[in-house]
Amino acid sequence: MSEPTRRLAVLGDGDSVATTRSAATAAGARLVDRSDADAIVAVGEAALRDAVRAVADGDAPSVPILPVGAGRHAVGADHAGDWIDTLVEGIGGSEPAFDGLSRVAHPVLSVDGAGDDRRRFAAADVAFVTGKPARISEYGIDFPDGESVSVRADGAVVATPLGSDGYAAAAGGPVVSPGGGLAVVPVAPFTTSPDTWVATGGVRVTVKREEEPVALVVDGSRLGTVEPHHVVRIEVATTVDLLSPTAE
């Protein structure tokens, strides 16, 4: 009886992707499109976000994702070949297990209320940004436990653990460990003692002022303008398994 075929999708661009694909075939994997994969290797932050959103949106199966790059959840590109061997060996079993790698359940956010009927997904963050720099607006933020706050700021950002060390951290928010919740951070708040929050489940954000247009930005892509008093619902839609080296 022949060994089961290991189907692996390697996503991204550049020399590191070519090297990773070569390592995958050398380890006995068959390279396929992400829609047919038993596991996904995402090289670089852009590829990782695309892969996470694709799983959430049903464009890829719910399979483990191995990030490769410089991110906090990723394995380094210089040692990716060793982890590819581990990944390919693991997905070949009847119950996939990966020696030295842990599965991290990463939340994927759904974004509803962007001004149309489309549902968007965010792997890293959802940001509300005033149209011009240093222009204050006011945001109402409602939390699942019933708490409501109002903040005056240039903007606000809601970040998953994957995105909490990016724009949210630059705005003064906490870096959140996997499973720790969502970082909710005002951007350049109009106060000397700004608050930040860690939420579970999701939040609702409303722009309370009409003076300044506010853009909705999902994973770095501008989706449009949020109308005043219109509620944008940001919720955990699902989780995706990321593979990261087990802490020793």
Side-chain angles (χ1 to χ4, degrees):
M1 180 180 297
S2 61
E3 286 191 17
T5 300
R6 284 84 159 173
R7 299 173 300 175
L8 198 64
V10 180
L11 309 181
D13 297 300
D15 293 340
S16 294
V17 175
T19 301
T20 303
R21 286 177 176 149
S22 296
T25 55
R30 179 163 63 94
L31 296 179
V32 298
D33 185 77
R34 68 189 186 190
S35 61
D36 296 319
D38 297 311
I40 296 172
V41 180
V43 183
E45 289 188 8
L48 175 58
R49 294 181 184 188
D50 286 346
V52 169
R53 289 192 298 262
V55 171
D57 206 19
D59 291 336
S62 183
V63 297
I65 300 173
L66 177 67
V68 176
R72 147 174 91 99
H73 297 274
V75 301
D78 292 344
H79 302 286
D82 296 334
W83 293 115
I84 293 293
D85 289 339
T86 298
L87 178 64
V88 171
E89 182 178 350
I91 62 178
S94 57
E95 296 184 4
F98 309 99
D99 187 28
L101 292 170
S102 298
R103 289 180 183 245
V104 178
H106 179 73
V108 187
L109 302 180
S110 65
V111 185
D112 292 299
D116 55 31
D117 294 330
R118 291 185 58 192
R119 191 185 197 201
R120 272 80 169 198
F121 292 99
D125 52 36
V126 180
F128 300 79
V129 184
T130 50
K132 297 180 181 179
R135 295 298 295 270
I136 296 293
S137 191
E138 187 172 354
Y139 302 89
I141 304 174
D142 298 319
F143 295 92
D145 62 1
E147 180 183 4
S148 296
V149 298
S150 181
V151 296
R152 296 183 65 198
D154 283 2
V157 59
V158 180
T160 66
L162 183 64
S164 66
D165 58 352
Y167 186 32
V175 175
V176 182
S177 297
L182 310 176
V184 182
V185 187
V187 178
F190 190 64
T191 177
T192 57
S193 301
D195 289 325
T196 63
W197 302 269
V198 176
T200 58
V203 297
R204 295 186 300 168
V205 180
T206 307
V207 178
K208 290 189 170 185
R209 300 180 68 178
E210 301 186 19
E211 291 90 342
E212 186 65 39
V214 173
L216 179 65
V217 181
V218 175
D219 280 353
S221 296
R222 188 182 188 278
L223 297 187
T225 301
V226 181
E227 295 296 327
H229 314 297
H230 186 77
V231 177
V232 177
R233 295 175 298 279
I234 302 168
E235 299 175 341
V236 176
T238 187
T239 59
V240 173
D241 283 348
L242 300 187
L243 299 176
S244 61
T246 304
E248 296 182 355

